[in-house]
């Protein structure tokens, strides 16, 4: 599956909607690194690349993540 930073991916093994969606941040050698919110804190959660490619589904893209990246990098927001 082709992913770009900010894509929202869904873990098929979790039924609770509060815990099943993650924001993709990067693909490493063995793991796909994602972010999730845990009681107001943002934490990184790695998943095995094979599991993500075979089982996870892409459900959207986080516009808020894009905005945050632009603010951190100093770019102006798109109009």
């Amino acid at each position: 599956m082709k992913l770009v930073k900010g894509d929202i991916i869904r873990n098929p093994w979790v039924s609770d909607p509060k815990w099943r969606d993650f924001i993709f941040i990067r693909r490493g050698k063995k793991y796909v690194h994602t972010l999730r919110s845990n009681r107001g804190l943002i934490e990184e959660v790695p998943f095995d690349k094979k599991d993500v490619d075979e089982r996870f589904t892409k459900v959207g893209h986080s516009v808020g993540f894009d905005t945050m990246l632009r603010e951190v990098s100093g770019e102006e927001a798109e109009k």
Side-chain angles (χ1 to χ4, degrees):
M1 164 177 12
K2 174 75 173 142
L3 296 170
V4 296
K5 285 182 181 182
D7 281 348
I8 300 171
I9 57 175
R10 181 162 290 163
N11 185 342
W13 294 293
V14 179
S15 59
D16 187 350
K18 195 177 190 179
W19 301 105
R20 68 181 175 193
D21 293 341
F22 299 86
I23 297 175
F24 170 80
I25 54 174
R26 68 185 167 93
R27 183 180 292 270
K29 288 185 178 182
K30 292 184 180 182
Y31 299 101
V32 169
H33 299 269
T34 64
L35 298 175
R36 79 167 176 197
S37 177
N38 184 6
R39 297 184 189 125
L41 299 173
I42 304 298
E43 61 185 13
E44 183 176 344
V45 182
F47 289 103
D48 186 79
K49 282 173 48 173
K50 183 178 178 185
D51 289 340
V52 171
D53 290 338
E54 292 178 2
R55 305 281 182 170
F56 283 44
T57 57
K58 180 179 170 181
V59 294
H61 188 80
S62 173
V63 176
F65 186 80
D66 290 344
T67 303
M68 180 187 68
L69 284 178
R70 279 193 300 273
E71 288 174 359
V72 168
S73 69
E75 294 179 24
E76 290 187 24
E78 293 179 18
K79 294 181 179 182

